[in-house]
Amino acid sequence: MLSPRMNLSEEVLVGIAGVAIALIGFSGVVTSLGRQGSGEWSPAETLQLRTLIDPSIVTLFAAFVPIGLGLITENSEIVWRASNFAVFVGHGLGFTAFLRRGSTDTVLFSQKAWSAVTVIVLLGTLGSSLGLLPWHQFTFLLGLALGIGVSLQNFYILLFPSSQTLNE
């Protein structure tokens, strides 16, 4: 039976980092199977590849933040608030880059839907890092899940392009 107050273990964080590494590796498969070798990638496909890699890298490094901070301090409040801030900064920078790279012609509807989820998770991780929300581990886990989810979605889009992507 689960305890009423579960804590994220190092094993869970390392497991999430492993998934992020796998997604980064899959980007190599997509690149080698894709049209990049012949220089035929559309701007939308290039955006999708970057949006596959960027959140995975943020998730990979963010998963180790609480482990590293736990070596410095035993104050769990500091560890989780700082970890949420790291996720906020990482995904915030990635989301800003996505907005700058994308245009109405290259961003798919599903990416726009993930953008709404991203804004909500960013607000949650910021609120948790500032101490406005009490669910530090939960918001941190949502931040990691966001990176995995966005990466998986873009991996899927690259493997199975929509008619919108193919028309570009």
Side-chain angles (χ1 to χ4, degrees):
M1 183 168 147
L2 296 176
S3 69
R5 188 84 169 133
M6 289 292 298
N7 288 318
L8 284 177
S9 67
E10 288 182 19
E11 291 82 11
V12 170
L13 296 174
V14 170
I16 291 170
V19 172
I21 289 171
L23 286 168
I24 293 167
F26 286 146
S27 67
V29 171
V30 168
T31 302
S32 65
L33 295 177
R35 299 181 289 180
Q36 183 69 20
S38 59
E40 298 177 15
W41 281 51
S42 70
E45 290 169 324
T46 302
L47 176 69
Q48 290 157 7
L49 183 61
R50 287 180 169 173
T51 310
L52 162 61
I53 296 170
D54 292 350
S56 296
I57 292 172
V58 170
T59 300
L60 171 63
F61 287 109
F64 290 106
V65 170
I67 296 171
L69 290 174
L71 297 173
I72 298 169
T73 181
E74 292 185 17
N75 186 330
S76 65
E77 180 84 11
I78 291 172
V79 168
W80 292 111
R81 285 177 66 174
S83 297
N84 271 288
F85 187 71
V87 168
F88 170 75
V89 170
H91 283 317
L93 290 173
F95 186 59
T96 301
F98 169 76
L99 293 175
R100 291 179 54 88
R101 292 175 191 149
S103 68
T104 55
D105 297 336
T106 59
V107 177
L108 302 173
F109 175 77
S110 61
Q111 291 170 313
K112 291 175 186 175
W114 272 106
S115 294
V117 172
T118 299
V119 169
I120 292 167
V121 172
L122 284 174
L123 289 173
T125 56
L126 178 62
S128 186
S129 68
L130 295 174
L132 301 175
L133 296 174
W135 315 292
H136 304 310
Q137 292 183 40
F138 178 70
T139 54
F140 179 74
L141 189 59
L142 283 179
L144 297 181
L146 172 73
I148 299 295
V150 168
S151 295
L152 282 173
Q153 184 247 352
N154 283 282
F155 178 66
Y156 182 83
I157 290 171
L158 283 168
L159 284 183
F160 307 106
S162 68
S163 59
Q164 180 182 348
T165 305
L166 293 174
N167 291 334
E168 295 178 358

